[in-house]
Amino acid sequence: MVQTSNLPKQKYNNDKLVKRIRRNVGKAIADYQMIEDGDVVMAAISGGKDSFVMLDILLSLQQSAPINFEVIAVNLDQKQPGFPEDILPSYLEQKNIPYYIIDKDTYSVVKSKIEDGKTTCGLCSRLRRGSLYSFAEKIGATKIALGHHMDDMVETTFLNMFYGAKLKSMPPKLLSDDKRNIVIRPLAYCREKDIASLAAIREYPIIPCNLCGSQENLQRQNVKAMLNEWDRQTPGRVENIFNATKSIIPSQLADTDLFDFKGLQIDRSSERKAYDFNSEEVSSTNIDESLVIQIANL
């Protein structure tokens, strides 16, 4: 039970949390021009904490934004056994939020193709993405909002490096390969711990993913544990890693498609700036200095 004397402080902290998340979402939207005037934003709602917070903040920003845009909540019912079909419609009706529940039995497809004990997340997400893409076109949605946050994006960066040998992540804004849909991630600047705190305060009716018995992707869990330990030892490290993905210097990496390493040429024709500590003296050599001078004058 919360002590009465603590209520003002608790409210103050809760208000700060909401403002921080709202500010971070607003900044991400502005930085990447995620939402424009006249957009129809299809907010993909899974029933998890992240998508609930995303929907909540988008609706809040809709009321105060200097542009007009629509928000439509869409949940894909994947026909998982025991899925509580009434929870989301009841919540969305109660909040008077425009919504669609679409049915697609991806559960049977996943279970028929993936052996027991194997991770189902990859195939499940691909099937879900295809369903959402096609439905977005059907309802005229111009943006598809997903609930991935900063932690998801940093974890994905390491997963791609460790297991895929690629330096890539989840971008805050993505044009689909066929160029027919744009995906946005409004929570890109938000930390998972803040999202979890807000979800607990708002008491959303969270629905767990039971497709695989709440199966954990071991690789992602290992990366998450590593990042949590880093975050504990050095607060701010996760933010620094994420910010590094926004500050790419191709000449300092190794991708020959992004930078022309083969074409590099020295140019000593102009007067150079002074180097730091450039007053070195040779103490010993077996090189004929006259040859060095001749080469330098070529």
Side-chain angles (χ1 to χ4, degrees):
M1 183 175 178
V2 179
Q3 296 293 324
T4 304
S5 59
N6 291 332
L7 287 177
K9 183 178 180 180
Q10 181 181 350
K11 183 180 184 305
Y12 173 75
N13 289 335
N14 292 350
D15 289 344
K16 279 183 62 178
L17 173 65
V18 173
K19 288 178 181 177
R20 179 164 64 251
I21 293 177
R22 182 185 163 96
R23 181 175 64 251
N24 287 337
V25 171
K27 185 170 181 0
I29 290 173
D31 285 353
Y32 294 93
Q33 199 169 320
M34 292 184 183
I35 301 176
E36 301 166 82
D37 192 50
D39 266 340
V40 177
V41 180
M42 188 179 93
I45 307 303
S46 65
K49 67 182 189 313
D50 307 327
S51 60
F52 270 120
V53 169
M54 178 189 71
L55 177 62
D56 204 344
I57 299 298
L58 284 178
L59 291 170
S60 173
L61 290 174
Q62 184 187 33
Q63 302 304 312
S64 59
I67 60 173
N68 295 314
F69 63 94
E70 293 183 51
V71 178
I72 299 175
V74 173
N75 170 255
L76 174 63
D77 184 346
Q78 299 175 269
K79 297 306 172 185
Q80 303 165 10
F83 183 80
E85 298 179 357
D86 61 314
I87 289 181
L88 278 174
S90 297
Y91 174 82
L92 296 168
E93 290 278 3
Q94 178 190 352
K95 299 290 184 180
N96 198 29
I97 299 170
Y99 75 92
Y100 289 99
I101 306 294
I102 55 176
D103 299 338
K104 192 156 189 180
D105 189 3
T106 61
Y107 173 84
S108 297
V109 176
V110 171
K111 297 304 284 185
S112 68
K113 293 184 178 294
I114 304 295
E115 297 178 16
D116 289 342
K118 299 290 185 180
T119 300
T120 60
C121 301
L123 177 58
C124 178
S125 64
R126 287 195 298 274
L127 293 173
R128 186 169 61 246
R129 183 167 56 246
S131 300
L132 292 174
Y133 280 5
S134 61
F135 192 71
E137 290 193 53
K138 185 175 181 179
I139 64 173
T142 52
K143 303 287 172 58
I144 301 173
L146 303 181
H148 299 122
H149 44 66
M150 183 185 294
D151 296 66
D152 288 325
M153 297 162 84
V154 172
E155 288 166 15
T156 300
T157 302
F158 281 96
L159 283 168
N160 283 322
M161 285 196 295
F162 292 167
Y163 303 106
K166 293 182 183 296
L167 190 55
K168 69 174 187 176
S169 183
M170 293 175 172
K173 185 178 182 181
L174 173 72
L175 180 65
S176 62
D177 291 341
D178 62 7
K179 297 181 171 49
R180 299 179 69 89
N181 286 286
I182 290 179
V183 171
I184 59 174
R185 296 182 168 97
L187 299 181
Y189 291 174
C190 300
R191 293 298 311 272
E192 183 175 19
K193 56 190 175 185
D194 285 343
I195 292 168
S197 296
L198 182 57
I201 292 168
R202 295 284 169 87
E203 297 182 334
Y204 302 121
I206 304 297
I207 303 173
C209 176
N210 294 318
L211 176 58
C212 41
S214 296
Q215 176 194 56
E216 292 185 343
N217 182 320
L218 184 59
Q219 294 173 346
R220 183 171 288 275
Q221 291 304 316
N222 287 339
V223 169
K224 183 184 286 289
M226 176 188 75
L227 293 174
N228 285 341
E229 180 61 18
W230 286 359
D231 210 23
R232 185 186 67 79
Q233 293 180 352
T234 312
R237 180 172 287 186
V238 170
E239 286 87 348
N240 284 343
I241 296 169
F242 174 77
N243 287 333
T245 68
K246 299 167 58 183
S247 183
I248 306 298
I249 307 175
S251 66
Q252 306 301 301
L253 295 173
D255 192 328
T256 56
D257 290 332
L258 293 180
F259 190 81
D260 182 16
F261 292 97
K262 292 180 180 180
L264 293 176
Q265 299 286 334
I266 62 172
D267 180 2
R268 293 175 176 167
S269 60
S270 61
E271 184 177 349
R272 71 168 171 81
K273 297 178 181 178
Y275 297 135
D276 292 333
F277 307 107
N278 66 337
S279 58
E280 70 284 340
E281 295 182 3
V282 177
S283 61
S284 177
T285 183
N286 64 354
I287 303 296
D288 185 340
E289 291 295 312
S290 64
L291 291 177
V292 174
I293 293 172
Q294 290 177 34
I295 293 171
N297 290 330
L298 289 178

